[in-house]
Amino acid sequence: GKIRVWTEEDAINAWPSFAASAHKGIFGTGYIIAGSDHMPGSALLAAKGALRSGIGKLIIGTSQFASAILAGEVPETTYEFDGLEKTANGSIPKKLKAAAIGPGLENEDLIEQAVQTLLEGDFPVVLDAGALQKRRYMKREIPPILTPHPGEFSRMTGLTVKDIQSSRIQTALQYAAENEVILILKGEQTVIAFPDGDAIINLTGNSALAKGGSGDTLTGILTACLCTHRTIKEAAANAVLIHGMTADLWVSKYGVRTMTASDISDMIPEVMKNLENKKGI
Amino acid sequence: GKIRVWTEEDAINAWPSFAASAHKGIFGTGYIIAGSDHMPGSALLAAKGALRSGIGKLIIGTSQFASAILAGEVPETTYEFDGLEKTANGSIPKKLKAAAIGPGLENEDLIEQAVQTLLEGDFPVVLDAGALQKRRYMKREIPPILTPHPGEFSRMTGLTVKDIQSSRIQTALQYAAENEVILILKGEQTVIAFPDGDAIINLTGNSALAKGGSGDTLTGILTACLCTHRTIKEAAANAVLIHGMTADLWVSKYGVRTMTASDISDMIPEVMKNLENKKGI
Amino acid sequence: GKIRVWTEEDAINAWPSFAASAHKGIFGTGYIIAGSDHMPGSALLAAKGALRSGIGKLIIGTSQFASAILAGEVPETTYEFDGLEKTANGSIPKKLKAAAIGPGLENEDLIEQAVQTLLEGDFPVVLDAGALQKRRYMKREIPPILTPHPGEFSRMTGLTVKDIQSSRIQTALQYAAENEVILILKGEQTVIAFPDGDAIINLTGNSALAKGGSGDTLTGILTACLCTHRTIKEAAANAVLIHGMTADLWVSKYGVRTMTASDISDMIPEVMKNLENKKGI
Amino acid sequence: GKIRVWTEEDAINAWPSFAASAHKGIFGTGYIIAGSDHMPGSALLAAKGALRSGIGKLIIGTSQFASAILAGEVPETTYEFDGLEKTANGSIPKKLKAAAIGPGLENEDLIEQAVQTLLEGDFPVVLDAGALQKRRYMKREIPPILTPHPGEFSRMTGLTVKDIQSSRIQTALQYAAENEVILILKGEQTVIAFPDGDAIINLTGNSALAKGGSGDTLTGILTACLCTHRTIKEAAANAVLIHGMTADLWVSKYGVRTMTASDISDMIPEVMKNLENKKGI
Ligand SMILES: Nc1ncnc2c1ncn2[C@@H]1O[C@H](COP(=O)(O)O)[C@@H](O)[C@H]1O
Ligand SMILES: Nc1ncnc2c1ncn2[C@@H]1O[C@H](COP(=O)(O)O)[C@@H](O)[C@H]1O
Ligand SMILES: Nc1ncnc2c1ncn2[C@@H]1O[C@H](COP(=O)(O)O)[C@@H](O)[C@H]1O
Ligand SMILES: Nc1ncnc2c1ncn2[C@@H]1O[C@H](COP(=O)(O)O)[C@@H](O)[C@H]1O
Ligand SMILES: [Mg+2]
Ligand SMILES: [Mg+2]
Ligand SMILES: [Mg+2]
Ligand SMILES: [Mg+2]
């Protein structure tokens, strides 16, 4: 296993390029199951993150009530009403290139069944927030991608937050190997641990991200990167790096306590341009 | 038949100018039938495109659920609830200068009847997305304007996407002539083929447009241009050129994978100013 | 009667100044009855215009459906559900400093009764759009303020648009005197005619305003100016001037066909700052 | 008792700093009970103020109708439907770090009971607008924080507005001492009076704030500051100072009558950056 820091240069090299004739089908359709009536914003934040990160088409699976809230803000998105229930019943949209489930969801039984349906697919699947539970995973060609913050990782493992934080890299690597999953342990210096023993450390981001909704946005960015990148590793590393860079850019402009999760997506174009400019040189 | 590239200079020359005393009636009323409960955004994107492109008045025909989603974002618009159903039943708003149908629509039977109603009018009619089917067209003074991407053109013709793409101009011209329609075959280097054998090639735009919703926005821009331009040819060519120029401007500012379809309309004022500036010189 | 052009200098001189300790009560509460289920945007545009023009408090009387559409965009506003019906029944909010009725309204009987209720109050009343009918006005200390475009003025008077346009100032003055109203005849070179025979000509604005919703926005700006200005004349002249200046500023930045009615309100802060700067010199 | 003016330097010194590893739990969860069906905007304004001021998580207690209006604008927020009713019945979210109640609320009986429930908690509680009544307060470790404008303070005390305004500091201090509350008497030169006889005077802000919704926004900013600051005094003083500075910045940019309450929150990032820059020097 190799443990390394993901740099801006890594990000630039891993960024995929596409033919001038590329059409939306090539960038792929992502499906995000998120949001409930009293937490509709989590679906909106995930959608914004995905749309700003190059996804071809985005379907949001949520309640009709939540869909009405999202649609004016992200008109590029289409909706699968009651996507959680439908997925729990085994039905998902066709030709998905990536899927994510969890932000703003609560019904544990439905989530459990929906997670199973998604994992039966052959595309990458991100599990976040409400979809993060103590659970066994069947072996899968593309390992499930789990994105817990330390509190959620504690719930998944029974370890205390303190124990987790005192040994983030080793704990993450051990969990990834034992469960054959990709584990993105969030927080300062996010660790991306792979079942083969590799780990990527992210140094971007700061406590401006310590706000409700930051993680939902990451789920969206990650879903988009999974649709567009060549490898899961590069997709995960780039998503986490870009997410953090938005906060670094914000802080350099407006100070540290004024950022909201919505701002993450709004900063992505400038962050990406900065990266591209460095590539040019 | 003359095949030519549409240049910025062509666009500037074709751009109509109006008397200082012009009122909204002169710019005309456009009617766009688009959007459904789980695809409301397509109507919003079309509306935004039309409003930024000089339309006098805009009526959106959609469900009440979708209207509620649009209205806060595009308050300049009025609504015909269940416009698809009403049009299928033969009823449309009065004094239309142009109409479009298709984005975000699914009920094939209703669409089919609504298309017939619109084509019985004496104004230009744009058929997009759900309104693009294998179909025969009655002869009409202003030919129907069809805006398929290659996948939709394949559905309309039975040709494979590969065959279409390998001979875009000839295939488009042949279809336009045989069916007496104006065919806008979208994608890199959009072809606008006329039944008289003329074709216009567009060189603006790039894969930042390869995203859900880009085409819906074009439908809106086109509807507005049809309301304001002297000829259908100039309207179609200018709409496609402006649409593409927004993506070229975006990419020069923010890189290639961060644009969303909403950004197309947001960039139009700057694109138009750039064009006007060139005219000035 | 004196006929004069209203200049920027006039506007600056007429702009009221307030004590540093002024509170919202001093700026007054305005009440705008506007918007219906399929034309909710007209109420939103009027609200935006009023909020950007210095109103203290704003109450919008509209349907609950329309209120839900407005509230996220103009959170400073409170709502009187079914304000048209309530006003028709003789009930209005207390302590109004100005009121307006008309944009996006259709039910002629209710409008007629609501207009009567408002005119029984002792505050200035703006009648626009749906509230503009052939009608006799009771004598009133503050004359009703009518804001027709030429088409509406034709409906009110039976004159043809052509006749109106060929003699805008004289026709407006005659109507104002005969009906004891203040008549704001909109269009290029808006005429504000007073029952005492005075007329003010406005030279700002351009055909970028020739769009659905421009007039609704003016109704909002005017309502706010009536709340804050010393005299009705100054309020009317300043409202019309500011409204037009936003379009002049827009055109200087982005060209002439890309403006929407929403942009009018968005440009007001910059227009006002430009005016204030000139005052400073 | 010490009476002093709160300066920018005071604000900078009082601004808390946090470890680079801080997570959202450290910044705390705030709960704001606000907004009703025909005054939903007050909840939105409070939410925007809180989110821009560094809160970790925000829960809004309001009707489902109002929640739907907020959710698209502040997706970082979660909702407690009918939070007023639930709190009146003794039920509140867990682990609150601060709470506020009042903006846009009307049902006096429910408010009264909800206030009692909140005051039984061990976190700071802000009472504003509809929650400001003539009332006796039980002794409480953290005194209730009341934010009346002079009209509301008149309602609470029976004093005339004129009497209040002629002796703002003494009247505020007396009320704070007698009722063992923290009294924030709003208006030009807001006074923050503490039960121990100390008073802080704020010199920022201007009559651009004399608009519906300004106070609702302050309630949100204050709730966030209570979550993040070391002491209640510093939180209150900083919230009032920042709130006023946004208006001072606006006026320097756009003149005095064009600001809306929404703009307060939008200006916070720039205001905070300016403060941080001064700190740096
Ligand atoms: N102090 C911090 N430094 C860097 N990143 C952080 C910090 N706090 C939170 N984040 C990031 O913000 C997001 C929070 O996710 P969540 O807790 O699910 O909302 C994750 O991507 C974290 O890595
Ligand atoms: N690679 C590309 N280069 C230029 N234009 C494109 C490209 N991909 C998509 N577009 C344009 O984006 C729009 C997509 O339409 P639709 O597929 O209906 O959403 C059309 O106007 C296409 O011409
Ligand atoms: N060509 C024009 N020149 C100047 N102002 C115009 C022009 N066309 C429309 N307007 C203004 O835009 C508004 C249109 O109002 P309405 O027709 O009610 O939407 C009025 O304030 C008109 O004076
Ligand atoms: N003339 C003024 N000068 C300074 N601050 C003001 C002025 N008028 C109102 N404010 C502030 O604006 C807010 C109004 O609160 P409210 O009346 O509850 O909406 C309070 O924070 C006031 O202190
Ligand atoms: Mg999370
Ligand atoms: Mg399309
Ligand atoms: Mg009008
Ligand atoms: Mg208040």
Side-chain angles (χ1 to χ4, degrees):
Chain A
K2 206 174 68 182
I3 299 174
R4 53 181 296 225
V5 168
W6 193 251
T7 65
E8 289 191 12
E9 210 186 315
D10 292 324
I12 290 164
N13 291 335
W15 213 268
S17 51
F18 290 90
S21 65
H23 58 83
K24 68 188 162 200
I26 287 178
F27 298 101
T29 300
Y31 184 37
I32 300 178
I33 303 174
S36 51
D37 285 7
H38 65 279
M39 293 194 280
S42 51
L44 178 49
L45 291 167
K48 284 185 176 174
L51 291 171
R52 281 277 170 235
S53 306
I55 206 162
K57 289 195 239 182
L58 177 62
I59 305 171
I60 297 287
T62 194
S63 68
Q64 182 162 5
F65 177 81
S67 299
I69 287 163
L70 271 73
E73 305 294 322
V74 283
E76 298 81 0
T77 300
T78 60
Y79 299 91
E80 190 68 51
F81 293 160
D82 303 320
L84 177 61
E85 289 75 3
K86 285 180 188 153
T87 305
N89 284 330
S91 152
I92 56 170
K94 279 176 227 153
K95 292 202 224 173
L96 298 181
K97 204 153 163 194
I101 181 168
L105 299 183
E106 288 182 321
N107 185 318
E108 292 186 17
D109 290 345
L110 285 176
I111 294 172
E112 205 54 46
Q113 295 167 44
V115 166
Q116 295 312 324
T117 304
L118 292 179
L119 290 177
E120 282 159 21
D122 58 358
F123 41 79
V125 174
V126 178
L127 306 182
D128 184 34
L132 294 169
Q133 298 294 343
K134 200 173 261 190
R135 178 193 293 132
R136 306 213 136 273
Y137 296 95
M138 312 251 290
K139 201 176 164 63
R140 192 175 190 271
E141 192 169 323
I142 305 171
I145 304 161
L146 281 52
T147 61
H149 57 57
E152 289 161 339
F153 195 48
S154 163
R155 179 177 76 200
M156 286 159 55
T157 56
L159 300 170
T160 65
V161 168
K162 207 175 149 199
D163 283 348
I164 294 166
Q165 293 297 71
S166 70
S167 170
R168 287 169 57 86
I169 301 175
Q170 291 317 317
T171 317
L173 275 173
Q174 188 178 336
Y175 186 92
E178 283 177 4
N179 294 276
E180 293 194 67
V181 300
I182 297 170
L183 187 88
I184 302 185
L185 179 57
K186 297 188 296 194
E188 199 197 5
Q189 300 200 6
T190 290
V191 178
I192 311 176
F194 299 91
D196 64 6
D198 281 1
I200 289 174
I201 314 296
N202 180 64
L203 298 183
T204 68
N206 57 67
S207 69
L209 295 171
K211 302 268 172 63
S214 295
D216 306 334
T217 305
L218 176 64
T219 294
I221 299 172
L222 182 52
T223 305
C225 286
L226 289 167
C227 283
T228 55
H229 279 59
R230 281 172 307 234
T231 70
I232 308 284
K233 273 192 192 179
E234 290 174 335
N238 273 0
V240 171
L241 177 126
I242 294 295
H243 181 261
M245 283 180 76
T246 65
D248 294 338
L249 181 59
W250 180 275
V251 166
S252 75
K253 290 190 165 195
Y254 304 116
V256 79
R257 283 316 293 160
T258 58
M259 192 179 187
T260 66
S262 297
D263 298 322
I264 299 172
S265 295
D266 291 346
M267 303 302 277
I268 291 178
E270 202 176 333
V271 160
M272 287 300 304
K273 185 61 186 177
N274 290 350
L275 267 187
E276 285 198 5
N277 282 347
K278 289 186 187 162
K279 185 179 189 169
I281 297 163
Chain B
K2 207 175 67 182
I3 299 174
R4 54 181 297 226
V5 168
W6 193 250
T7 65
E8 290 192 12
E9 210 187 314
D10 292 324
I12 290 164
N13 291 335
W15 213 267
S17 50
F18 291 91
S21 65
H23 58 83
K24 68 187 164 203
I26 287 179
F27 297 101
T29 299
Y31 183 39
I32 300 178
I33 303 174
S36 50
D37 285 8
H38 65 279
M39 293 194 280
S42 51
L44 178 48
L45 290 168
K48 285 186 175 174
L51 292 171
R52 280 277 169 237
S53 307
I55 206 161
K57 288 196 240 182
L58 177 62
I59 306 171
I60 297 288
T62 195
S63 68
Q64 182 163 3
F65 177 80
S67 299
I69 286 163
L70 270 73
E73 306 293 322
V74 284
E76 298 81 1
T77 299
T78 60
Y79 298 90
E80 189 68 52
F81 293 159
D82 303 320
L84 176 62
E85 289 75 4
K86 285 181 188 155
T87 305
N89 285 330
S91 153
I92 56 170
K94 279 175 230 155
K95 292 202 225 172
L96 298 181
K97 205 154 163 193
I101 180 168
L105 300 182
E106 288 183 321
N107 184 319
E108 292 186 18
D109 291 344
L110 285 176
I111 294 172
E112 205 53 46
Q113 296 167 43
V115 166
Q116 295 312 324
T117 305
L118 291 180
L119 290 178
E120 281 158 23
D122 58 357
F123 41 79
V125 175
V126 179
L127 306 182
D128 184 34
L132 294 168
Q133 297 295 343
K134 200 172 260 189
R135 180 193 291 131
R136 304 213 137 272
Y137 296 95
M138 312 252 291
K139 202 176 164 65
R140 190 175 192 270
E141 194 169 321
I142 305 170
I145 304 161
L146 282 52
T147 61
H149 57 58
E152 289 161 339
F153 195 48
S154 163
R155 180 176 75 199
M156 287 159 56
T157 56
L159 299 171
T160 65
V161 168
K162 208 177 150 197
D163 282 348
I164 294 166
Q165 293 296 72
S166 69
S167 170
R168 287 170 55 89
I169 301 176
Q170 291 317 317
T171 317
L173 275 172
Q174 188 177 334
Y175 187 91
E178 284 177 4
N179 294 276
E180 293 194 67
V181 301
I182 298 171
L183 188 89
I184 302 185
L185 179 56
K186 298 188 296 195
E188 198 197 6
Q189 299 200 7
T190 290
V191 178
I192 312 176
F194 300 91
D196 64 6
D198 280 1
I200 289 174
I201 315 296
N202 180 64
L203 298 183
T204 68
N206 57 66
S207 69
L209 295 171
K211 302 267 172 64
S214 294
D216 306 333
T217 305
L218 176 64
T219 293
I221 298 173
L222 182 53
T223 305
C225 286
L226 289 167
C227 283
T228 55
H229 279 60
R230 282 172 306 234
T231 71
I232 308 283
K233 272 192 193 179
E234 290 174 336
N238 272 1
V240 171
L241 178 126
I242 295 295
H243 181 261
M245 283 180 76
T246 65
D248 294 339
L249 181 58
W250 180 275
V251 166
S252 75
K253 290 190 166 196
Y254 304 116
V256 80
R257 283 316 292 161
T258 58
M259 192 179 186
T260 65
S262 297
D263 298 321
I264 298 172
S265 295
D266 291 346
M267 301 303 277
I268 290 178
E270 201 175 333
V271 160
M272 287 300 303
K273 185 60 187 177
N274 291 349
L275 267 188
E276 286 198 5
N277 281 348
K278 289 185 187 162
K279 185 178 190 170
I281 297 163
Chain C
K2 207 174 68 180
I3 299 174
R4 55 182 296 227
V5 167
W6 193 250
T7 65
E8 290 191 10
E9 211 186 314
D10 292 323
I12 290 164
N13 291 334
W15 213 266
S17 50
F18 291 91
S21 65
H23 57 83
K24 68 188 164 201
I26 287 179
F27 297 101
T29 300
Y31 184 38
I32 300 178
I33 303 175
S36 50
D37 285 7
H38 65 279
M39 293 194 280
S42 51
L44 177 50
L45 290 168
K48 284 185 176 175
L51 291 171
R52 280 277 169 237
S53 306
I55 206 161
K57 288 195 239 181
L58 177 62
I59 305 172
I60 296 288
T62 195
S63 68
Q64 181 163 3
F65 177 80
S67 300
I69 287 163
L70 271 74
E73 306 293 322
V74 283
E76 297 81 1
T77 299
T78 60
Y79 298 90
E80 190 67 54
F81 293 159
D82 303 320
L84 176 61
E85 290 74 4
K86 286 182 188 154
T87 306
N89 285 329
S91 153
I92 56 170
K94 279 176 228 152
K95 292 201 224 174
L96 297 181
K97 205 156 166 193
I101 180 167
L105 299 183
E106 288 182 322
N107 185 317
E108 292 185 17
D109 291 344
L110 285 176
I111 294 172
E112 206 53 47
Q113 295 168 43
V115 166
Q116 295 313 325
T117 305
L118 291 180
L119 290 177
E120 282 158 23
D122 58 358
F123 41 78
V125 174
V126 179
L127 306 182
D128 183 34
L132 294 168
Q133 297 295 342
K134 201 172 261 189
R135 179 193 292 131
R136 305 213 138 272
Y137 296 95
M138 313 251 290
K139 203 175 161 64
R140 188 174 194 272
E141 193 169 321
I142 305 171
I145 304 161
L146 281 52
T147 60
H149 57 58
E152 289 161 339
F153 195 48
S154 163
R155 181 177 74 199
M156 287 159 54
T157 56
L159 299 171
T160 65
V161 168
K162 209 178 149 196
D163 283 348
I164 293 166
Q165 292 297 73
S166 70
S167 170
R168 288 171 54 87
I169 300 176
Q170 291 316 317
T171 317
L173 274 172
Q174 189 177 332
Y175 186 92
E178 284 178 4
N179 294 276
E180 293 195 69
V181 301
I182 297 171
L183 187 88
I184 302 184
L185 179 56
K186 298 187 296 193
E188 198 197 6
Q189 299 200 7
T190 290
V191 179
I192 311 175
F194 299 92
D196 64 6
D198 280 1
I200 289 174
I201 315 295
N202 179 64
L203 297 184
T204 67
N206 58 66
S207 70
L209 295 171
K211 302 268 171 65
S214 294
D216 306 333
T217 305
L218 176 64
T219 294
I221 298 173
L222 182 53
T223 305
C225 286
L226 289 166
C227 283
T228 55
H229 278 60
R230 282 173 306 233
T231 72
I232 308 283
K233 274 193 192 178
E234 291 174 335
N238 272 2
V240 171
L241 178 125
I242 295 295
H243 182 261
M245 284 180 76
T246 64
D248 295 340
L249 181 58
W250 180 275
V251 166
S252 75
K253 290 190 166 196
Y254 305 115
V256 80
R257 285 314 293 160
T258 59
M259 192 178 187
T260 66
S262 297
D263 298 322
I264 300 172
S265 295
D266 291 346
M267 302 302 279
I268 291 178
E270 202 176 332
V271 160
M272 288 301 303
K273 185 61 187 175
N274 290 350
L275 267 187
E276 286 198 5
N277 282 347
K278 289 186 187 162
K279 184 178 191 168
I281 298 165
Chain D
K2 207 174 67 180
I3 299 174
R4 56 182 295 226
V5 167
W6 192 251
T7 65
E8 291 192 9
E9 209 185 316
D10 292 324
I12 290 164
N13 291 334
W15 212 267
S17 51
F18 290 91
S21 65
H23 58 83
K24 68 188 164 202
I26 287 178
F27 297 100
T29 300
Y31 184 38
I32 300 178
I33 303 174
S36 50
D37 285 7
H38 65 279
M39 293 195 280
S42 51
L44 178 48
L45 290 168
K48 283 185 176 175
L51 291 171
R52 280 278 170 236
S53 307
I55 206 162
K57 289 195 240 182
L58 177 62
I59 305 171
I60 296 288
T62 194
S63 69
Q64 181 163 4
F65 177 80
S67 300
I69 287 163
L70 271 74
E73 306 294 323
V74 283
E76 298 81 1
T77 299
T78 61
Y79 298 91
E80 189 69 51
F81 293 159
D82 303 319
L84 177 61
E85 290 75 4
K86 285 181 188 154
T87 306
N89 285 329
S91 152
I92 55 170
K94 280 175 227 153
K95 292 202 222 172
L96 298 181
K97 204 154 164 193
I101 180 167
L105 299 183
E106 288 183 320
N107 185 317
E108 292 185 18
D109 291 344
L110 284 177
I111 294 172
E112 206 53 49
Q113 295 167 43
V115 167
Q116 295 313 324
T117 305
L118 291 180
L119 290 177
E120 282 159 22
D122 57 358
F123 42 78
V125 174
V126 179
L127 306 181
D128 184 34
L132 293 168
Q133 298 294 342
K134 200 172 262 189
R135 179 193 293 131
R136 305 213 137 273
Y137 296 95
M138 312 252 290
K139 201 174 163 65
R140 190 174 191 272
E141 193 169 321
I142 305 171
I145 303 161
L146 282 52
T147 61
H149 57 58
E152 289 161 339
F153 195 47
S154 163
R155 180 176 76 199
M156 286 160 54
T157 56
L159 299 170
T160 65
V161 168
K162 209 177 148 195
D163 283 348
I164 293 166
Q165 293 296 73
S166 70
S167 171
R168 287 170 55 87
I169 300 175
Q170 291 317 317
T171 317
L173 275 172
Q174 190 179 331
Y175 186 91
E178 283 178 4
N179 294 276
E180 293 195 68
V181 301
I182 297 171
L183 188 87
I184 302 184
L185 180 55
K186 297 187 297 193
E188 199 197 5
Q189 300 200 7
T190 290
V191 178
I192 311 175
F194 299 91
D196 64 5
D198 281 0
I200 289 174
I201 315 295
N202 179 64
L203 298 183
T204 68
N206 57 67
S207 70
L209 295 171
K211 302 267 172 65
S214 294
D216 306 334
T217 305
L218 177 64
T219 295
I221 298 173
L222 182 52
T223 305
C225 286
L226 289 166
C227 284
T228 55
H229 279 60
R230 281 172 306 234
T231 71
I232 308 284
K233 274 194 191 177
E234 290 174 336
N238 272 1
V240 171
L241 178 126
I242 294 294
H243 182 261
M245 284 180 76
T246 65
D248 294 338
L249 181 58
W250 180 274
V251 166
S252 74
K253 290 191 166 195
Y254 304 115
V256 79
R257 284 315 293 161
T258 58
M259 192 178 186
T260 66
S262 297
D263 298 321
I264 299 172
S265 296
D266 290 346
M267 302 302 278
I268 290 178
E270 202 176 331
V271 160
M272 287 300 303
K273 184 61 188 177
N274 291 349
L275 268 187
E276 286 198 5
N277 282 347
K278 289 186 187 162
K279 184 178 189 170
I281 296 164

